[in-house]
Amino acid sequence: MNRFEDKIAIVTGAASGIGRATADRLRSEGGTVVGIDRDPVDDVDMAIQLDLLDLGAIAPTVAQIVDAYGRIDVLCNVAGIGHFARDEDETPEAWNRVIGVNLTGTYFMSQACLPHLLESQGNIVNTASTAGTNAQAWSSAYSASKGGVIALTQTMAITNGRSGIRVNCIAPGGVETPIGEQFTPPEDVDLTLMAGMLPYHRPAQPPELASAFAFLASDDASYCNGIVLRVDGGTMA
Ligand SMILES: NC(=O)c1ccc[n+]([C@@H]2O[C@H](COP(=O)([O-])OP(=O)(O)OC[C@H]3O[C@@H](n4cnc5c(N)ncnc54)[C@H](O)[C@@H]3O)[C@@H](O)[C@H]2O)c1
């Protein structure tokens, strides 16, 4: 398949896990990929180190990409951080960091790319989570950020859909990536509350998510707009 030939795709979170695999997949299908991450990104056509909490740097970064390539066809917002806390112990700093990367970063990357996507009739694929569609204990900030990603996906899809662009999101279940280390349960909690979060069968490997990103980002998904594609191996079925 060469679904991304002549397409310029931005993938955030491209240094690791699902973003890394998505960048690989889009490139393997002929795409030119710009990988953005706070960590160095390898094996992309253009690598940009950017902390998405630095909101003022987002628009200049997107301008730099348009200067280099002249267009943007696909934005995959994959960067994210995990976080568990007892509600009694949550801090404003941690709350703002999780919402800042997962939700605010996703929104302002989308805003900066929007005029270019309107021009190319391109699309956005965001990263939610089953934590945004179903309950996940000890993760008020993370779940709120992912529920917010679903709401902004649907809102931007409807606001901009008649102008010819699509905005969708993927809700992964458990995927074997380094983010798992950021989901250590707090001490002395009722571990039976974990039951609903455990993968039904097995955790996914990142390429099993990358194929879903590639589908939604491609013309194969031309009639998908505003959808939440749950890719969780049946966990929430
Ligand atoms: N792995 C899972 O089980 C799972 C489940 C549901 C949703 N997700 C979501 O999938 C996405 C990718 O996660 P992953 O599992 O590949 O984890 P990961 O930790 O392997 O990758 C996340 C990437 O985001 C980058 N990142 C974090 N904060 C950043 C910032 N401030 N600025 C720029 N880049 C930043 C990291 O450096 C890293 O490269 C996240 O949005 C995550 O919430 C993951």
Side-chain angles (χ1 to χ4, degrees):
M1 283 190 285
N2 250 8
R3 293 181 293 186
F4 299 100
E5 205 169 80
D6 302 325
K7 306 273 191 208
I8 308 298
I10 299 176
V11 179
T12 72
S16 174
I18 299 168
R20 171 72 267 158
T22 300
D24 289 344
R25 176 68 189 242
L26 299 185
R27 289 187 92 209
S28 77
E29 292 198 39
T32 298
V33 174
V34 179
I36 293 179
D37 204 289
R38 67 178 173 194
D39 291 340
V41 183
D42 297 322
D43 297 327
V44 285
D45 298 283
M46 179 190 262
I48 297 178
Q49 218 164 338
L50 169 74
D51 185 338
L52 288 167
L53 291 170
D54 183 1
L55 294 179
I58 289 179
T61 299
V62 170
Q64 177 191 342
I65 296 165
V66 174
D67 274 353
Y69 293 110
R71 58 186 290 136
I72 297 169
D73 299 281
V74 171
L75 169 64
C76 294
N77 282 306
V78 190
I81 52 174
H83 178 58
F84 268 166
R86 298 163 68 103
D87 289 318
E88 299 90 319
D89 299 333
E90 187 57 285
T91 64
E93 292 75 21
W95 174 277
N96 286 337
R97 198 164 50 245
V98 173
I99 299 289
V101 178
N102 296 359
L103 180 57
T104 315
T106 293
Y107 181 67
F108 284 101
M109 274 301 303
S110 303
Q111 183 200 57
C113 290
L114 189 59
H116 310 291
L117 294 170
L118 288 167
E119 211 173 310
S120 65
Q121 298 288 276
N123 73 88
I124 299 173
V125 188
N126 291 325
T127 309
S129 166
T130 50
T133 61
N134 296 72
Q136 177 171 286
W138 312 304
S139 61
S140 294
Y142 183 78
S143 297
S145 75
K146 295 303 189 178
V149 166
I150 292 171
L152 91 78
T153 298
Q154 292 168 336
T155 301
M156 287 189 71
I158 293 308
T159 310
N160 301 288
R162 285 186 181 154
S163 303
I165 78 165
R166 300 181 294 108
V167 185
N168 294 295
C169 70
I170 291 175
V175 188
E176 222 165 70
T177 74
I179 207 173
E181 291 158 25
Q182 296 160 27
F183 287 110
T184 306
E187 278 178 20
D188 301 327
V189 292
D190 176 2
L191 288 175
T192 63
L193 295 181
M194 294 278 286
M197 306 172 202
L198 300 178
Y200 153 73
H201 175 42
R202 61 170 174 84
Q205 295 303 315
E208 297 178 286
L209 273 297
S211 55
F213 277 90
F215 165 65
L216 283 181
S218 78
D219 290 343
D220 283 344
S222 56
Y223 204 59
C224 293
N225 190 28
I227 74 162
V228 184
L229 179 57
R230 208 174 59 197
V231 183
D232 71 345
T235 300
M236 297 300 167

